[in-house]
Amino acid sequence: MSAPAVEDELGRRTIRKVSFRILPIVGLLYVFNYMDRANISYAQLGMQHELAITTATFGIAASIFFLVYVLFEIPSNMIMKKIGARLWLARIAITWGLVTVLTGFVQNIPQLYGARILLGIAEAGLFPGLLLYMTLWFRTQERGRAIAALALAQPIAMVLGSLTGGFILDHVRWFDLSGWRWVFILQGAPAVLLGVLTLLYLPNRPSGARFLTAQEGEWLERAIRAEYTAEEPETFLGQLRILKNRKVLYLAVANLFAACGLYGFTFFVPQIISQLDPSYSATNIGVLGAIPFLVGAVGMLLVARNSDRTGERRGHVVALMLLAAIGLAGTIWFRQDPVPALVCLSMVAIGVLGYMAPYWAMAARLLSREHTAVGLAAINSIAALGGFLGPYVIGINAGEGDVSLGLYFPIGCLLVCALMLLAVRLPRDRTGAVEPAAVPD
């Protein structure tokens, strides 16, 4: 075989090994992370009576998580870069799992708020940490699909959370504990076990991975280094300078508006479905609530594949934000008609979930190698404020038994995001050096 053919075969073999070994662990981490963050949306169907929680109170409980989450995102990613992904990701998983289990024992609203705050501290840094971790294992040309595989964890988490959450609410009453308490306990415990698995089996870098040969590990690290221009290592304060980068801030604010739509949708799907027909049981709500996320998962994969194939990012994210906005508007219009309402909810899911892979592939192109850890965490931290604003504003504007009025806010946010991203000037992706995107000054 010629030298280029040997190199190509080496690359294909290495990427195949990495995909089969790294993506399952990373994906499971994010599946249970997202499920434990959002399981309050199903638990509230039971605890709203036991703890006397109103729609506005639920909005606060769902959103308060993000206030502390934002504060700890950047420090978490910097610590991970310092001590390694294996140890830090394991710590995050074990602590968030324990907090989720303990949430099943809260006795009043202040304790619920406290548990959500602790969960925000425990989970902080996981998603940007996983994004940073992916940059160590995948080249630019594979990264969009790798991020899509990671982002696919969100709909998988919501499908699992919906099906198991509804079933647990209706059927699990062990030790005289209410079903909503078991939602937290049974969905939180696997994260602790996953944290131990991460500690045992997740390698920090290709060069230290036992499942790769020395040649494969060296090739992968060399190939990824070649995509970035040579840089001098930055000090701690030097890395923080990325927080003043206008391009990073612009994309981060756009992502904040997208997050308002994503989390506003995610946390209120059970209530939207319950108002379609008051006779639905928790199990019915769980099954129907899984449908939009199943559709969204398929849409996400198709979008990621097409975005990687064409190298086009901006048009994809703009179109998806508009699709999600139209879907939410349709949800309001058909709020008492189950079939078209589920179609509209599926449109929202395709939009807010499919958006993530091309968006993060686009955002990563802004960052130098040294600034990746802080930059990704900064963008995610600012966007996490949307996770606070979305559920909070919906909660205070929704009527009891009808959340439709609150949905106008995320519709507006999705439209703003689309307009902002439409103004981004970004060259098509190509194999080779990573080029910066251009955004309006």
Side-chain angles (χ1 to χ4, degrees):
M1 294 177 67
S2 64
V6 171
E7 184 82 1
D8 288 344
E9 174 57 28
L10 174 63
R12 283 193 294 270
R13 184 174 71 243
T14 303
I15 295 300
R16 186 165 56 248
K17 284 186 177 182
V18 168
S19 298
F20 278 111
R21 178 59 184 273
I22 297 299
L23 288 180
I25 298 177
V26 165
L28 282 173
L29 279 169
Y30 198 40
V31 163
F32 284 99
N33 172 259
Y34 203 83
M35 186 163 67
D36 288 345
R37 176 187 305 184
N39 58 12
I40 191 174
S41 63
Y42 279 91
Q44 71 89 26
L45 295 174
M47 69 182 178
Q48 64 180 338
H49 304 295
E50 196 167 321
L51 300 184
I53 292 179
T54 65
T55 304
T57 303
F58 167 71
I60 295 172
S63 61
I64 199 171
F65 161 95
F66 292 96
L67 289 181
V68 289
Y69 182 86
V70 167
L71 296 177
F72 289 90
E73 282 274 82
I74 293 175
S76 176
N77 239 30
M78 298 187 79
I79 293 172
M80 189 184 100
K81 188 175 180 181
K82 200 79 170 175
I83 70 174
R86 181 176 60 86
L87 181 60
W88 194 244
L89 292 176
R91 192 284 304 164
I92 292 175
I94 291 169
T95 53
W96 104 57
L98 291 174
V99 171
T100 302
V101 170
L102 292 175
T103 305
F105 297 93
V106 299
Q107 300 298 318
N108 51 51
I109 292 173
Q111 288 180 10
L112 178 63
Y113 288 166
R116 294 292 292 179
I117 290 171
L118 288 176
L119 185 65
I121 295 172
E123 283 193 18
L126 182 80
F127 183 63
L130 293 177
L131 288 176
L132 172 62
Y133 188 64
M134 302 287 253
T135 67
L136 304 176
W137 291 90
F138 293 96
R139 297 173 298 174
T140 301
Q141 63 205 73
E142 294 105 13
R143 201 170 296 154
R145 275 166 286 189
I147 293 173
L150 173 62
L152 186 62
Q154 284 198 13
I156 291 174
M158 294 310 299
V159 169
L160 289 176
S162 296
L163 296 176
T164 60
F167 181 85
I168 292 168
L169 279 170
D170 278 344
H171 301 287
V172 180
R173 297 288 189 278
W174 302 329
F175 306 108
D176 292 326
L177 292 176
S178 303
W180 69 266
R181 296 185 183 277
W182 284 108
V183 170
F184 289 116
I185 296 168
L186 294 178
Q187 292 186 354
V192 179
L193 299 177
L194 186 56
V196 175
L197 180 69
T198 299
L199 191 61
L200 294 175
Y201 293 108
L202 194 72
N204 282 321
R205 285 181 170 274
S207 57
R210 294 180 182 177
F211 66 90
L212 294 177
T213 66
Q215 183 186 26
E216 290 166 345
E218 181 184 344
W219 173 87
L220 184 56
E221 292 200 353
R222 185 176 67 249
I224 291 174
R225 278 197 306 269
E227 295 183 332
Y228 294 85
T229 56
E231 297 166 327
E232 293 295 324
E234 287 265 30
T235 64
F236 173 82
L237 292 177
Q239 292 183 53
L240 288 179
R241 279 201 297 270
I242 195 66
L243 300 179
K244 296 191 292 186
N245 186 304
R246 286 179 295 178
K247 297 174 183 177
V248 171
L249 292 176
Y250 186 91
L251 282 188
V253 171
N255 202 30
L256 183 154
F257 287 108
C260 287
L262 169 64
Y263 289 110
F265 166 70
T266 299
F267 283 115
F268 284 89
V269 164
Q271 293 192 44
I272 292 171
I273 292 176
S274 67
Q275 75 183 30
L276 295 176
D277 188 337
S279 68
Y280 286 157
S281 67
T283 302
N284 295 146
I285 294 171
V287 171
L288 293 176
I291 293 174
F293 293 103
L294 284 171
V295 177
V298 175
M300 172 186 288
L301 291 175
L302 294 176
V303 166
R305 177 175 295 181
N306 191 64
S307 179
D308 270 0
R309 181 182 62 81
T310 62
E312 202 285 324
R313 311 296 186 186
R314 185 187 65 172
H316 284 76
V317 293
V318 171
L320 290 163
M321 289 293 92
L322 293 176
L323 179 67
I326 293 169
L328 276 179
T331 300
I332 297 173
W333 184 261
F334 296 111
R335 61 184 176 275
Q336 294 180 331
D337 198 341
V339 174
L342 283 173
V343 171
C344 291
L345 286 173
S346 298
M347 291 170 59
V348 182
I350 293 171
V352 297
L353 297 174
Y355 152 91
M356 288 185 289
Y359 171 82
W360 284 109
M362 179 174 67
R365 300 189 65 184
L366 287 169
L367 305 172
S368 67
R369 186 88 169 153
E370 280 297 319
H371 288 132
T372 302
V374 175
L376 292 176
I379 292 173
N380 199 56
S381 295
I382 294 171
L385 290 173
F388 171 78
L389 289 172
Y392 177 76
V393 175
I394 292 175
I396 61 175
N397 285 288
E400 291 304 319
D402 185 1
V403 299
S404 300
L405 288 176
L407 297 180
Y408 287 103
F409 175 71
I411 290 173
C413 290
L414 292 169
L415 292 175
V416 171
C417 177
L419 289 173
M420 290 185 69
L421 294 176
L422 188 62
V424 174
R425 301 186 305 278
L426 186 77
R428 288 179 182 271
D429 281 343
R430 58 179 177 81
T431 304
V434 176
E435 301 177 32
V439 298
D441 290 335

